[in-house]
Amino acid sequence: QVQLVESGGGLVQAGASLRLSCAASGRTFSSYSMGWFRQAPGKEREFVATTRWASGSTYYAYYADSMKGRFTISRDNAKNTVYLQMNSLKPEDTAVYYCAAQSGSGRYEDIRTYEYWGQGTQVTVSS
């Protein structure tokens, strides 16, 4: 069982930055692929980024096209925490951001392949 708790959301102006954190419980955090998703009002939950476990201490980062160059995902296994650094925020980035954990090798952009989810943290970007 893995429990995930997100933090770091808030209200910012366009162009600002935020760093989201996701703290995970469990002793096998390092072997999970961790993802960030977001859901805007009236829209489906969409993939943002993932740090995908390959083997040992090797991870690969993947991003949704619209986030490349602005968002950076990272993880600190010693702290059981994954981060999402968001720069140059836009009003269209407004959403609830969710952290998720995946133990298998399913498609990283598919929400159905993630077993555990956090409760979400609200990010609001004003114009």
Side-chain angles (χ1 to χ4, degrees):
Q1 188 76 6
V2 176
Q3 291 184 326
L4 305 173
V5 179
E6 302 96 334
S7 61
L11 172 63
V12 296
Q13 290 187 332
S17 298
L18 276 177
R19 189 176 80 155
L20 306 183
S21 299
C22 173
S25 64
R27 292 176 290 179
T28 58
F29 174 77
S30 62
S31 64
Y32 279 85
S33 296
M34 301 298 297
W36 285 97
F37 291 77
R38 69 184 186 183
Q39 188 167 17
K43 295 187 177 181
E44 294 186 351
R45 195 168 298 188
E46 65 173 349
F47 169 73
V48 174
T50 184
T51 170
R52 190 169 181 85
W53 183 62
S55 65
S57 59
T58 301
Y59 301 88
Y60 296 103
Y62 299 95
Y63 300 89
D65 287 343
S66 61
M67 288 73 166
K68 287 180 180 178
R70 297 192 301 125
F71 291 7
T72 303
I73 190 170
S74 61
R75 64 192 296 160
D76 185 338
N77 289 338
K79 296 182 178 180
N80 276 17
T81 301
V82 62
Y83 304 96
L84 183 68
Q85 177 67 43
M86 305 186 295
N87 299 327
S88 302
L89 283 163
K90 305 173 182 180
E92 51 263 43
D93 294 318
T94 295
V96 177
Y97 284 71
Y98 296 92
C99 172
Q102 179 192 64
S103 63
S105 58
R107 293 177 57 195
Y108 58 79
E109 69 273 27
D110 189 340
I111 64 172
R112 297 170 296 180
T113 64
Y114 290 79
E115 297 100 313
Y116 304 102
W117 291 83
Q119 83 289 349
T121 186
Q122 176 71 47
V123 172
T124 303
V125 184
S126 63
S127 58

